[in-house]
Structures are given as structure tokens and as C-alpha cells.
Amino acid sequence: MFYEKYLKMREKNNSVLIVGLDSDTNKFNSKFSKDAIGIFEFNKYIIEQTNEYVCGYKPNIAFYEKHGYKGIQALEKTVEYIKKYTELPIIIDAKRGDIGNTAAAYAEAFFKYLKVDSITINPYMGMETINPYIELENSHVFVLGLTSNKGAKDFELENDLYLKVIKNVNEYNKKFKDKIGIVVGATNDEHIEKITKNSGNMVYLIPGIGAQGGSIEKLFKGLNGYKNIVINSSRGIIFSEDPKKSAKELKENLNKARGL
Amino acid sequence: MFYEKYLKMREKNNSVLIVGLDSDTNKFNSKFSKDAIGIFEFNKYIIEQTNEYVCGYKPNIAFYEKHGYKGIQALEKTVEYIKKYTELPIIIDAKRGDIGNTAAAYAEAFFKYLKVDSITINPYMGMETINPYIELENSHVFVLGLTSNKGAKDFELENDLYLKVIKNVNEYNKKFKDKIGIVVGATNDEHIEKITKNSGNMVYLIPGIGAQGGSIEKLFKGLNGYKNIVINSSRGIIFSEDPKKSAKELKENLNKARGL
């Protein structure tokens, strides 16, 4: 169960950092081949370098789908590897969203076949589309609330759609006992206070610091002591010269901001 | 290019019907094995039975992902088969939605690796998330507008979000010369008139008749002569006793409703 696993590893590694395995072969250095085999070798290396500084991993499935079925095989091997050598929870960043019978098929893909701990999903099509995931045993989802990209202003921020989503999702989370979290972009820090008032104790998955320009200082000001957070960094760690050092440093900076 | 291919095949086969290859192995009869191999054999059978009555195929990728990398292999073989033996356009129902570099990876997956004609995408994260798809050559997307499920009332219909999406997307479609269509659920027929007034000549991908309860009569009343339509049927055809007969009948019923 994601929530317990997260709490345990947050404590054990004293970290709210999650590393995004957005393993884009275009950005690989010459040590790794730019194909599905290279992806798995790259991920192994990143996991070995970073696992003691994080509370989980988040592969974004787009970078695997790009390589067709062999890419999906690399993802499957990566998931297996993380589960075998660590106790860290795995969130697949998939942003899936579809109606009943289709959502049920996605839920099977991620929780019965791939057996990960959580996935991200998109709420556009309504609350019923969340059910097929959370009705499964050992499942958990992060629902997109307010994302970190500029486009968030087009529909999410318009008429406070994000807040309506978060309020609805929070009711579901109470009913389904901590099986839901929400995505809260670090770049939209001025809205975070409103979110903390409407989200109970749901875990926030927070992208947007680093490459996307979100500031740690402003983010934590917005969070104002809210503790159930997972802060994602992808490119800033996995493509840095020294992923181990980058993960350690970011973990420490985040802990400072947490007042630890 | 999807739009030209669609117009050509609509004319050639005199049909606006598209068959959804939602090839759920749980619903296979004993002729087909309930695994990835069975999926491809099943799809081959459906394509052979139905290709002269349709203007395209729409596999929903969830039913392939459910079987892991072997399922994706079955999808790849299905796409190859359709392209080799027909001129019909292929829409992958994927409902992807993500930020810039990730959307670009999905775009590569579908238009460079799998080489299909169109995919469905989700607009929640904003208009910029559409760019990476339509900036590619030979690409086309269907953006979710108003979907056919009950949950559409939660966010899409609230504050006319669907209409805001459709108006924005229509502006994009003019700029990107017919590379975008929209999803318009048949079950929400009372809103279709408003959509036709705000969507230029974009192709509507219309799910929701049949299993989901949308009525052909009400749908066409809402469409009021609007011609750029693709009407999807999945379960009603592929799991019927006689897919050939079901496809032929539905094509003819739709043509009657079109006044042909």
C-alpha cells in the first residue's frame, strides 16, 4: 500500500525527494546505448546512486512508450529491479484518464500486471473514472490537481477548476482510506495555501522545482508546514554529472526547508 | 495525413463508422486465446470482417497495455496489418496529456514509432500540451471535448469547460490546418448544437452510441446536418455474434440518419 510504504521510507531515508526516471535516451551520455537496453542499464545506475536519498521513484511512461514494446520491457525490468533491491514505492507517471471498462483495463495494467504502488491519473472525464483504480486492492493514485506547466492557466486555474477537483478528490480519499493523493505544481506556489485548506491529509506529489523553475523557498512558504509531500526531481538529478551528489544535495536542501 | 485519409475512405466506403478495437480478452470466445497472441488473431478477424463498412479503426491502448509488453507488440502488429491490407486511417485511443518534453515523447511513440494517423489526447493541462503532437509531420489529434460518460457532468459541463476547450482547440485547428478534431459524446446530445456553432469544420469523434446508451436519432438531431463526423462502435460490433453483419447494419443505419 503506497501510503504506508511512503511514510516508512520518508522516515527511514529521512527524505521527501522522489527521483523521476524520465529516462530520455536523447540525453544519455556515451556510457549508455540509446535504446531500450540502455534505458534499463541507465536506470540501474541511477537507482544504485540515489536510493538512499529518496522516498521513491517515478518513471514517466512516455519515455518508455517511445521505444515501443521493448521500451515497455525496459520499464518492467526497472520496476522489478527497484522492488528486488529496495523497499521504495514506485509511482508510474502515466496521467491516464478514461471511462469505466477502459480505466479498469489500465488499472489491471499497472496494479495487476506491472504491480507498482501508484500511478498518476487525469480527472477531466470526472470522478467515476477514478473508481476502477481505487477499488482494486493495493492500489493508489495521484490525481492531477494543479500542474506545474504554463498551460495550467488555460483550464485548471480558470474558475478554480483545480480546487473543485481537489475538494472532490479529498472526499473520495476519506472514503477510500488514503488511496488518493494529488499533483500540486511547485511553480504555482501562490495557490498552495488554498490547496492545503481543502485537501485533508492527502499526499501531494510536487513536480516543478529545478528545470521547470519552481523555487524551494516559495514552495515551502506556500506549504506552511504541510508535511505529506513528495517532491519530484527528474532531469536535475538523472542527467547531472554526479546523480549521487545531486540527490544528496537536493535531499538536504529540502530537509533544511522542512526545518530538519 | 488523417483528414485527407478520412475524407477519402468516408467517400470510398460510404461510411462514417469507425470500429473500436477494444480487444478485451475477457470477452473473447473460445476461438481466440486470452493473451497477446489471441488479441492479434482476434483483430485480424475483425478487420477482415468489417473493413469494407468503415472509415477507420480505433484501438483503445488500455486493452493492450493490460498485457504488458506483449500486448504492445500485439498492437504494433495490428497497426501494421491495417496499414498493409487497407487504406483506412488508424486512431489510437490513448487520451494522453502531459507537459512539453513528455508530450514530445508520446508524440514520438505514436507518430514516429507506431506511425498511426491520429491519437486522442486530454486537454486538462492546457493548450501548450497539444503543440508537441501537431508540430510533427503527418500527425493529427482528437482532443477530448465533451465525453460520453456520466462523469462528464463533474468538470466538463461545469462552467461550460467543454465549450471553452472546443473554442480554444478550434482556433488551433485553423492555425494548424485540419490537424485537430474533437471528441463529442453521443450521450450528451443536448449540447451538440452549441458545439457545432463553435467548432468550425473539425472532425468529431463520437463515442457513446450502443453500449453507452446514446441514441442515433437524438445524436443526428443535435448534429443538424454537420457532416465531419466519425461514429465509433466498439463492443457492439467486435463482440457481436456476427461482426460483419453488425458493422454493415450500423453503417446503413448511420447512412439513413445522414439522409443517404
Side-chain angles (χ1 to χ4, degrees):
Chain A
M1 180 63 184
F2 174 82
Y3 191 56
E4 286 78 19
K5 248 180 153 175
Y6 154 71
L7 291 178
K8 185 179 163 191
M9 295 311 291
R10 183 177 81 181
E11 181 81 15
K12 190 175 168 192
N13 284 354
N14 189 29
S15 176
V16 291
L17 173 63
I18 194 156
V19 166
L21 297 171
D22 299 4
S23 306
D24 185 348
T25 51
N26 292 330
K27 295 192 185 116
F28 282 5
N29 64 31
S30 59
K31 277 201 294 191
F32 301 99
S33 64
K34 292 178 186 290
D35 58 13
I37 294 164
I39 291 178
F40 178 60
E41 292 302 323
F42 176 83
N43 287 349
K44 251 174 77 175
Y45 165 73
I46 296 294
I47 294 158
E48 281 154 13
Q49 295 291 307
T50 61
N51 72 83
E52 61 183 304
Y53 307 116
V54 303
C55 66
Y57 287 106
K58 180 174 78 63
N60 188 311
I61 198 168
F63 297 100
Y64 302 82
E65 288 191 10
K66 202 176 90 167
H67 297 271
Y69 76 91
K70 286 184 183 164
I72 299 301
Q73 229 173 350
L75 178 63
E76 292 176 9
K77 285 173 72 180
T78 301
V79 167
E80 244 174 62
Y81 187 83
I82 297 170
K83 289 167 76 123
K84 195 160 177 184
Y85 294 104
T86 81
E87 296 171 279
L88 293 159
I90 303 164
I91 305 165
I92 300 286
D93 203 350
K95 302 188 177 73
R96 299 298 191 255
D98 215 313
I99 59 165
N101 67 325
T102 309
Y106 280 130
E108 268 198 60
F110 292 106
F111 297 115
K112 287 190 178 172
Y113 182 87
L114 199 56
K115 294 195 180 75
V116 294
D117 301 289
S118 184
I119 66 163
T120 57
I121 63 171
N122 185 312
Y124 186 78
M125 295 175 71
M127 294 303 291
E128 52 152 338
T129 64
I130 302 177
N131 287 333
Y133 301 99
I134 52 180
E135 282 166 357
L136 280 188
E137 263 189 284
N138 293 320
S139 62
H140 179 277
V141 294
F142 281 100
V143 179
L144 297 184
L146 183 56
T147 57
S148 55
N149 60 318
K150 281 188 187 140
K153 71 174 188 330
D154 295 342
F155 309 121
E156 296 172 21
L157 285 168
E158 184 81 9
N159 297 315
D160 279 354
L161 171 63
Y162 76 102
L163 208 58
K164 192 170 177 345
V165 168
I166 288 169
K167 283 178 184 173
N168 272 281
V169 168
N170 187 43
E171 288 309 306
Y172 256 49
N173 187 47
K174 286 186 215 157
K175 195 171 144 200
F176 286 94
K177 302 192 167 74
D178 298 324
K179 292 186 91 169
I180 319 187
I182 48 169
V183 175
V184 177
T187 49
N188 286 303
D189 48 78
E190 71 270 33
H191 304 280
I192 293 179
E193 206 190 318
K194 237 195 261 180
I195 297 175
T196 59
K197 286 186 179 139
N198 289 285
S199 62
N201 71 332
M202 282 195 289
V203 181
Y204 297 179
L205 171 57
I206 304 177
I209 59 157
Q212 290 179 59
S215 126
I216 292 179
E217 202 188 4
K218 285 187 189 161
L219 168 65
F220 276 87
K221 208 178 147 206
L223 286 169
N224 192 24
Y226 192 87
K227 286 188 172 51
N228 273 347
I229 53 174
V230 176
I231 297 183
N232 181 71
S233 176
S234 305
R235 289 169 269 182
I237 290 176
I238 66 176
F239 298 122
S240 85
E241 293 245 319
D242 186 342
K244 189 184 186 100
K245 194 173 153 225
S246 303
K248 186 169 182 284
E249 275 176 12
L250 185 51
K251 168 195 154 172
E252 286 167 359
N253 285 340
L254 293 173
N255 280 351
K256 240 178 258 163
R258 290 201 292 154
L260 298 180
Chain B
M1 181 65 184
F2 174 81
Y3 191 54
E4 286 77 21
K5 248 180 153 174
Y6 154 70
L7 290 178
K8 184 181 163 187
M9 295 310 291
R10 184 178 80 183
E11 180 80 13
K12 189 177 168 189
N13 283 354
N14 189 26
S15 175
V16 292
L17 173 63
I18 195 156
V19 166
L21 297 172
D22 298 5
S23 307
D24 185 348
T25 51
N26 292 331
K27 295 192 186 119
F28 283 5
N29 65 29
S30 59
K31 278 202 291 192
F32 302 99
S33 66
K34 292 177 187 290
D35 57 13
I37 294 164
I39 290 178
F40 178 60
E41 292 301 324
F42 177 81
N43 286 349
K44 251 174 76 175
Y45 165 73
I46 296 295
I47 294 158
E48 281 155 13
Q49 295 291 307
T50 59
N51 71 83
E52 60 183 303
Y53 308 116
V54 303
C55 65
Y57 287 106
K58 181 174 76 67
N60 188 313
I61 198 167
F63 297 101
Y64 302 82
E65 288 191 9
K66 202 176 92 169
H67 297 271
Y69 76 91
K70 287 183 182 164
I72 298 300
Q73 230 174 349
L75 178 63
E76 292 175 11
K77 285 173 72 180
T78 301
V79 167
E80 246 173 60
Y81 186 81
I82 297 171
K83 288 166 77 119
K84 196 163 177 181
Y85 294 103
T86 81
E87 296 172 279
L88 293 160
I90 304 165
I91 304 165
I92 300 286
D93 204 351
K95 301 188 178 72
R96 298 298 190 255
D98 214 312
I99 59 165
N101 68 323
T102 308
Y106 280 130
E108 268 198 59
F110 292 107
F111 298 115
K112 288 189 176 174
Y113 182 87
L114 199 56
K115 295 194 180 76
V116 294
D117 301 290
S118 185
I119 66 163
T120 58
I121 63 171
N122 186 312
Y124 186 78
M125 294 174 74
M127 294 302 292
E128 53 150 338
T129 64
I130 301 176
N131 287 331
Y133 300 99
I134 51 179
E135 282 166 357
L136 279 187
E137 264 189 283
N138 294 319
S139 61
H140 179 276
V141 294
F142 281 99
V143 178
L144 297 183
L146 183 56
T147 58
S148 55
N149 59 317
K150 281 190 187 139
K153 71 175 187 329
D154 294 343
F155 309 122
E156 296 172 20
L157 285 168
E158 183 83 9
N159 297 314
D160 279 352
L161 171 62
Y162 76 102
L163 208 57
K164 193 172 175 355
V165 168
I166 289 169
K167 283 178 184 174
N168 274 281
V169 167
N170 188 42
E171 288 308 307
Y172 257 49
N173 187 47
K174 286 187 216 158
K175 195 172 143 198
F176 285 95
K177 300 189 168 72
D178 300 323
K179 292 185 90 167
I180 319 184
I182 49 170
V183 175
V184 177
T187 49
N188 286 302
D189 49 78
E190 71 270 33
H191 303 280
I192 292 180
E193 206 190 317
K194 237 193 262 182
I195 297 175
T196 58
K197 288 188 179 137
N198 289 284
S199 62
N201 70 333
M202 283 196 289
V203 181
Y204 296 0
L205 170 58
I206 304 177
I209 60 156
Q212 291 178 60
S215 126
I216 291 179
E217 202 188 3
K218 285 187 190 161
L219 168 65
F220 277 86
K221 207 178 148 209
L223 286 170
N224 191 27
Y226 192 87
K227 286 187 170 52
N228 273 348
I229 54 173
V230 176
I231 297 183
N232 181 73
S233 175
S234 305
R235 288 168 269 182
I237 289 177
I238 67 175
F239 298 122
S240 86
E241 293 243 323
D242 186 342
K244 190 184 186 98
K245 194 173 152 226
S246 303
K248 186 169 183 283
E249 274 176 12
L250 185 50
K251 170 197 152 169
E252 286 166 359
N253 286 340
L254 293 174
N255 281 351
K256 238 177 258 163
R258 290 202 290 155
L260 299 179

